[in-house]
Amino acid sequence: PAARRSAQGRRRAPRYGRMAPADPWGGTWFLTPPAAAPEEALLALEDAKERARMLLERYGVLCRELANREGGSLRWAALFRALRLLELAGEVVAGHFFEGLSGPQFALPAALGALSDRDSTPADFWCAAADPASPCGLALDWPELPQRRPRNYLAFRQGVLTLVIEN
C-alpha cells in the first residue's frame, strides 16, 4: 500500500499491522541443545553420587553451607538430587541434626552412630579457620568466629569455643 498524506502534507508510514496477515512463525525462537542420551544422564548422576559420598566421608554430615563452600561440581545444586537418591537407597539419612544450618542435612549412618555413642562432653580440640571442618564462613550465629583465613585458629574445650587466635 502506498503511504498516505496527512492533513499537513507530510507522508505517514503505512499501517501494516492491520493489513498484513498473521505471521505463523512469530515470537522469539532459539535453538535448544540436543537432549543428552539416557546413558549420559545416568553417568552424570553416578558422578554426582560419588562426589556426595566423598563429601559425606569428609564431613560426616552434609548441608547446603558446607557443599556450597566447596564450590564447582561439589555445590549443593549439583549434589542434592544424588543425595536424595542415596537416602532412598539407605546409604544416608536425612534430617535436621544441627541447629543453625539451613535446610535438610544428610549424614552417614556411621556418623550418626558416632554422635549418639559419644559421651555428653566432647573432647578438646583445635582447628585452623581455613580447615574444611571449621565453622568459620558458614554464617552461623557465633559472633566471635574469625574470618576464614590461613593464620586464624579456633580452640574448643568440651564443645565450647574458648579461644580464637587471629594472625
Side-chain angles (χ1 to χ4, degrees):
R4 298 180 185 171
R5 294 199 181 264
S6 66
Q8 290 86 14
R10 291 181 306 198
R11 293 189 82 156
R12 216 171 21 162
R15 295 183 184 177
Y16 289 108
R18 287 188 290 169
M19 293 182 273
D23 185 10
W25 300 102
T28 304
W29 295 87
F30 56 92
L31 182 64
T32 58
E39 298 85 18
E40 293 175 11
L42 286 175
L43 288 175
L45 187 58
E46 287 301 319
D47 287 344
K49 284 182 182 179
E50 287 302 316
R51 290 190 299 270
R53 287 182 187 113
M54 179 188 68
L55 288 179
L56 283 165
E57 288 177 13
R58 181 183 301 167
Y59 294 114
V61 176
L62 188 59
C63 64
R64 174 178 287 141
E65 290 87 359
L66 290 174
N68 285 342
R69 189 165 68 174
E70 294 289 329
S73 62
L74 300 175
R75 295 187 61 81
W76 186 254
L79 298 178
F80 186 73
R81 184 174 182 196
L83 286 165
R84 283 294 187 194
L85 289 173
L86 289 174
E87 177 192 12
L88 289 173
E91 290 186 49
V92 299
V93 178
H96 191 76
F97 308 113
F98 294 99
E99 293 294 325
L101 298 175
S102 67
Q105 301 162 14
F106 295 89
L108 293 171
L112 291 180
L115 285 175
S116 64
D117 291 343
R118 69 179 184 176
D119 57 13
S120 62
T121 58
D124 302 337
F125 67 96
W126 70 272
C127 66
D131 192 295
S134 168
C136 297
L138 290 180
L140 297 176
D141 292 335
W142 292 2
E144 60 269 2
L145 285 176
Q147 291 183 347
R148 189 174 169 80
R149 293 190 176 158
R151 293 190 178 184
N152 292 345
Y153 298 92
L154 307 168
F156 293 86
R157 177 154 180 87
Q158 297 179 350
V160 177
L161 179 64
T162 56
L163 178 66
V164 174
I165 301 171
E166 295 185 79
N167 291 328

